[in-house]
Amino acid sequence: MSNRVSTNLGSNEMDVINNSSSRRSSESLPYVHKVGVPPKQNLLKEIAGTVKETFFADDPLRNFKDQSKSRKLVLGFQAIFPIFEWGRNYSLSKFKGDFIAGLTIASLCIPQDIGYASLANLAPQYGLYSSFVPPLVYAFMGSSRDIAIGPVAVVSLLLGSLLQDEIDPNKNPVDYLRLAFTATFFAGITQVTLGFLRLGFLIDFLSHAAIVGFMAGAAVTIALQQLKGLLGIKKFTKNTDIVSVMRSVWGSVHHGWNWQTILIGVSFLAFLLVAKYIGKKKKKLFWVPAIAPLISVFLSTFFVYITRADKHGVKIVNHIRKGINPPSVDEIFFSGQYLAKGFRIGLVAGMIALTEAVAIGRTFASMKDYQLDGNKEMVALGTMNIVGSMTSCYVATGSFSRSAVNYMAGCNTAVSNIVMSTAVFLTLKFITPLFKYTPNAILSSIIISAVIGLIDFEAVCLIWKIDKFDFVACMGAFFGVVFSSVEIGLLIAVSISFAKILLQVTRPRTAILGKLPRTTVYRNILQYPDATKVPGILIVRVDSAIYFSNSNYVKERILRWLADEEENLKEHSRPRIQYLIVEMSPVTDIDTSGIHALEELFRSLEKRDIKLVLANPGPVVVDKLHASKFQELIGEDRIFLTVADAVMTCAPKLELDP
Amino acid sequence: MSNRVSTNLGSNEMDVINNSSSRRSSESLPYVHKVGVPPKQNLLKEIAGTVKETFFADDPLRNFKDQSKSRKLVLGFQAIFPIFEWGRNYSLSKFKGDFIAGLTIASLCIPQDIGYASLANLAPQYGLYSSFVPPLVYAFMGSSRDIAIGPVAVVSLLLGSLLQDEIDPNKNPVDYLRLAFTATFFAGITQVTLGFLRLGFLIDFLSHAAIVGFMAGAAVTIALQQLKGLLGIKKFTKNTDIVSVMRSVWGSVHHGWNWQTILIGVSFLAFLLVAKYIGKKKKKLFWVPAIAPLISVFLSTFFVYITRADKHGVKIVNHIRKGINPPSVDEIFFSGQYLAKGFRIGLVAGMIALTEAVAIGRTFASMKDYQLDGNKEMVALGTMNIVGSMTSCYVATGSFSRSAVNYMAGCNTAVSNIVMSTAVFLTLKFITPLFKYTPNAILSSIIISAVIGLIDFEAVCLIWKIDKFDFVACMGAFFGVVFSSVEIGLLIAVSISFAKILLQVTRPRTAILGKLPRTTVYRNILQYPDATKVPGILIVRVDSAIYFSNSNYVKERILRWLADEEENLKEHSRPRIQYLIVEMSPVTDIDTSGIHALEELFRSLEKRDIKLVLANPGPVVVDKLHASKFQELIGEDRIFLTVADAVMTCAPKLELDP
């Protein structure tokens, strides 16, 4: 027997025969490489290590190491204001790219801003304000080179629906506006705090799948909202769920709709969509969809102006306040009942804005392959919103669509944001009156054509293919937003994401291993049908850290594997199981409950006269097995470097009477 | 070069040369065993599998398989009432053990019950009631053979403090009592529901460490509460935190204390502790501490009776209602404001009671090596509390101390519970009047000596040694209970437990692997200092499933490993890294975010002209790599069965100019 095995595992035996750092494993012949025990590090080091990995995983102070005091100061300053780092080798050629990109996104953002403001139930100028100040601030503090800052559809919608739950924007516009600034302020505070406390990883708890679903849902909701402007409906529901929207659309079909409005809206929508299509087909023509909105605004405005269509019930923007952002510091509620509400709304809006911005930042950073410090990014975004809240802006963040345009237009640095905000500044200063006759219908069609891009079918299909659970999260978020409200959708998304994590740690996978023919490798027999079990030995792999949340399950699952195995061995009257080898490679950590579970496992195996053997426990696990004296309990010679070693040592000792 | 490597890894090569199930990996010579792709299973199967593992992990219907209808019916009946299963081969010899054990725990529980009732601010008889009905119900439905059912200190305290937050037991005793029954009812409902929906695993989220801390804290709090009775203090604080208790103790030192009471209390406390000590020393004398309480009750009662010490301010029980449990169905609040409150309190108390009972059940089950169906157990406990709530009982569960005594007294089945409840029945029927002169001081000392056992120093030390994070949870729970309140302590315990899980999934471990001398095994170089890196190749292992919560971290961590490595290679002007091998063995699962992270990693490596290679992805991961076309992206020949294979294939292709 021993012979057969040794030829079988000869390879490995050969390895270990003349193995320097090996020890005689009790009574059995073959030598095996000893399982390493990591150098004992003191408590403080340990804790420091954990803290570092948790909060400073990206090692932000790396280039501060061994530098002079003054240098450190400069570096610190540059860390807060990256513009002084990359600005020093900024060139004209770079500026050319930035200039073109800046103008392009400006032409895209101006009409969008006016529209998005209405999603937040705010006057059009506040959209433009939010594209003026925040981008400037970001340009100085932000570290992403491609992100385009400004108001975005989803956040505007979220903010709007959260705010109007508290105050009716029509009945009490003043307080509504003040609450909006308050929320913006606290959104900024939230973002800065998260970044400063290096809690950036918190936003990772909103899974990609959930975001896809949430975005798609928001897009649909926003598009539906636009039916008001597109069909020229006068009285429209406050709710955002599809049911009540559809009801108020059909309700007003006979008396509420206005054909002139529909004509303008639909025709220009068609124009925009065609432009979008062209942009998709020919990457070189990216600028077509980029400037299409502004063109259609001018055309439609001119058209309305000459036909005086507004006299025939075509709603127009009518008035946009001229001039740049007025200060709004003393408008913010720093006390009273609205303080708490503002904080709550700001927290939610801030988190979502953050999620979107960071997602964008990461995407383009990895496309151009430069590092992005998530936490620093958050501080930048936060500061920009705090400043914004004091200059009549509402929550701004990175826009998917505009950033993409920015990237394709060949931006090189955040200067493109400066160019854009300058363009917006000029608009505010001089040409806002021109928007007087701009029909709302056009804004609606611009918004629709913009948000359509947020629905990502490919991603959904991929999610479905890759991970069903993710798909559930995705759909949950989507339907939550569409059929109930943005908040509900968000809630569903987050809770499903968490449920997944908890499920993962409560019910880890376990597998029976078999030996691959002519190798010393043991693998899951379900994955490798040609893997063969070793008679008399059951090899189980546990695929997760063993924690209190799963320790009991793991124990019972292993015992169940054993029971099943013994059952079908009886049927075929094969030799009974005498060794249970637990492959610990994936067991990255174990806690007190886990140790207890192992002890209980050991006991119940003892009663069955089966020996427990461990293979390849990791550093942390080995540590804890030592600390808990578990090693002494099962015997030093029961822990091996590899499954192969374990089998090699156990197999010869099998008593071969069934 | 290839030569050096092949001799180096000769062993493994020898294995794979004549490997039947192997394929020619593109252009490179050595054959390697192909990475297995698990048989594609359809969606429904997949989902069914997940559901099964999550909710029916213990495979409860196992022995229902291929049985006749009638047989199934019988089995089902026996499943609900296990007594009809083990009862059929119950013998006199077994009964002898159960009888003795039953009497022992009865003698222990009667005085305890009277005391514990006061912890819940209830009249003494309710303690006894709760030791009469629930044990009977459990005996029929429960599957644990050693657990002793009845009121327990911690739950009584918890219930008491939760209830008196709602209703003042002195001002409004009637409603207080009714709310207690309501809470008990809903505690039962909670337990049954959890068991029935097979959500038993939820209680696993309270970690062992947290429980240890919570129990110790509760013990201290309870002991402190007893100072009232022990010192004969008249007016005592309602709060349970150590500060306010100590204040009211010292506040009453001059006028409030009663020396006779102290004399009785302290002397008998000493007696009880000595008895406990004896029991600890000599396992055979376990019965000494078991009957000591009853003895001291009789002695002290007799003493007070003859000396009429109650005339000198020694508080006595005075009156215990004679006769068995009156029905209390119509006392339960099934409507009104107290319904919700009762439900909330019941939920908490029920969960805690469950945790304690299941913990005990499991402990003894593994000691005697019999299986325990947690969910079935919950249904039993729940039913027993529902019935209890209708027969004037408050929440009952398994008691640590009494179960231990039960076990040592040689119980064989749940019959010992029947014996105990019969003894309690007789007590209620005939001898309650005898307790008239029992001094409260004695009850206090009995409780103190009982709860001391809940403080488990060894466990705390072990936790400290094994897992620092667990220790924090433990201490958090402890201090939370001692310095604030039971609820707060519980809250802290749970939240720390969760924080741990989240931390685990957000910041998984990663490690650099090296080759162990004279083996084909690659291990963490921190754990195995003699492991050597392969020049030009960096091998990183990721120690967790790659999910949305950690995908981004994992990507950046790997890139950081790379950066560090390249830095110190430059210093020593060694050949640059050309291959990055990611050992995927511990990566048990991956989701869409994870796939994205891998793609991003691949891209940024490409830019650095480094090739990404994967080693040993598990079945699920392989599936998803296929589904997401990632395999095509990096190339089929970039995924290997083992790190050894990967190195063997990559090493010869290295360009060796630094």
Side-chain angles (χ1 to χ4, degrees), chain A residues 140-283:
Chain A
F140 281 80
M141 298 183 69
S143 43
S144 166
R145 304 173 197 159
D146 308 274
I147 200 167
I149 297 295
V152 302
V154 175
V155 175
S156 306
L157 174 75
L158 179 65
L159 195 64
S161 62
L162 286 173
L163 287 171
Q164 76 183 6
D165 292 346
E166 302 299 343
I167 305 176
D168 184 325
N170 307 325
K171 286 211 193 66
N172 188 352
V174 180
D175 280 354
Y176 183 88
L177 187 60
R178 292 188 60 186
L179 189 59
F181 292 145
T182 315
T184 308
F185 176 76
F186 283 113
I189 294 291
T190 311
Q191 297 170 330
V192 171
T193 318
L194 284 181
F196 195 75
L197 299 182
R198 309 200 60 79
L199 294 173
F201 62 82
L202 283 186
I203 67 165
D204 287 345
F205 281 112
L206 199 56
S207 72
H208 165 75
I211 294 173
V212 170
F214 176 75
M215 284 296 171
V220 171
T221 312
I222 293 169
L224 288 172
Q225 290 293 312
Q226 301 316 312
L227 291 176
K228 177 174 190 286
L230 204 62
L231 307 176
I233 299 171
K234 284 178 202 60
K235 33 189 271 300
F236 202 73
T237 172
K238 280 226 153 345
N239 306 351
T240 60
D241 63 294
I242 189 163
V243 179
S244 39
V245 169
M246 275 311 161
R247 191 174 291 123
S248 63
V249 168
W250 293 133
S252 59
V253 66
H254 295 305
H255 47 285
W257 295 15
N258 173 295
W259 70 266
Q260 295 94 330
T261 315
I262 296 175
L263 181 67
I264 301 172
V266 171
S267 49
F268 276 103
L269 180 56
F271 167 64
L272 289 166
L273 292 178
V274 170
K276 231 181 161 52
Y277 180 78
I278 293 170
K280 248 209 183 64
K281 281 285 142 212
K282 283 214 179 4
K283 283 267 162 286

Side-chain angles (χ1 to χ4, degrees), chain B residues 357-591:
Chain B
V358 172
I360 297 168
R362 280 178 185 160
T363 316
F364 290 104
S366 72
M367 280 165 84
K368 286 190 179 176
D369 190 35
Y370 59 85
Q371 275 300 316
L372 201 65
D373 178 343
N375 292 298
K376 227 161 75 183
E377 200 62 5
M378 292 182 187
V379 174
L381 292 161
T383 323
M384 127 193 144
N385 276 321
I386 293 173
V387 176
S389 70
M390 299 172 173
T391 55
S392 309
C393 308
Y394 73 96
V395 183
T397 182
S399 148
F400 272 124
S401 51
R402 298 204 293 274
S403 302
V405 172
N406 192 23
Y407 172 80
M408 288 187 288
C411 65
N412 299 312
T413 67
V415 169
S416 63
N417 274 306
I418 302 181
V419 174
M420 178 191 76
S421 82
T422 321
V424 174
F425 163 76
L426 294 174
T427 315
L428 279 166
K429 208 101 188 82
F430 304 112
I431 61 173
T432 44
L434 298 188
F435 291 118
K436 183 175 190 311
Y437 289 102
T438 306
N440 291 337
I442 215 68
L443 299 176
S444 305
S445 35
I446 288 173
I447 294 178
I448 292 175
S449 70
V451 293
I452 282 175
L454 293 179
I455 305 175
D456 189 344
F457 278 113
E458 291 74 17
V460 176
C461 300
L462 197 63
I463 290 170
W464 166 259
K465 262 196 268 152
I466 297 179
D467 191 321
K468 302 293 175 283
F469 206 108
D470 273 3
F471 185 75
V472 174
C474 178
M475 284 300 116
F478 177 78
F479 288 114
V481 173
V482 171
F483 281 98
S484 163
S485 76
V486 188
E487 306 91 295
I488 298 297
L490 208 54
L491 200 67
I492 294 177
V494 174
S495 27
I496 295 185
S497 303
F498 268 94
K500 183 181 180 179
I501 294 182
L502 294 186
L503 194 64
Q504 174 205 358
V505 293
T506 334
R507 294 287 184 255
R509 291 201 177 71
T510 53
I512 295 288
L513 304 189
K515 183 169 173 305
L516 294 184
R518 296 179 202 65
T519 69
T520 58
V521 180
Y522 289 78
R523 291 285 185 263
N524 185 344
I525 55 174
L526 293 179
Q527 186 180 5
Y528 298 91
D530 58 340
T532 53
K533 295 179 185 170
V534 185
I537 302 179
L538 183 67
I539 310 170
V540 182
R541 193 184 64 220
V542 178
D543 279 355
S544 143
I546 303 178
Y547 278 150
F548 61 90
S549 50
N550 60 27
S551 57
N552 190 59
Y553 165 79
V554 167
K555 186 197 91 199
E556 299 195 334
R557 192 67 187 79
I558 292 178
L559 287 175
R560 215 176 93 217
W561 278 122
L562 186 63
D564 298 346
E565 186 67 14
E566 281 176 329
E567 214 164 74
N568 82 52
L569 283 184
K570 258 199 214 69
E571 281 167 20
H572 307 72
S573 61
R574 295 256 188 73
R576 64 172 193 81
I577 300 293
Q578 295 170 45
Y579 287 91
L580 179 83
I581 302 178
V582 180
E583 155 74 295
M584 305 272 281
S585 309
V587 180
T588 54
D589 195 358
I590 190 165
D591 69 356

Side-chain angles (χ1 to χ4, degrees), chain B residues 5 8 64 141 216 284-285 338 402 429 431 508 586 594 640:
Chain B
V5 175
N8 216 340
F64 283 76
M141 298 183 67
K284 296 183 80 40
L285 299 178
Y338 287 133
R402 298 204 293 274
K429 208 101 188 82
I431 61 173
F640 293 89

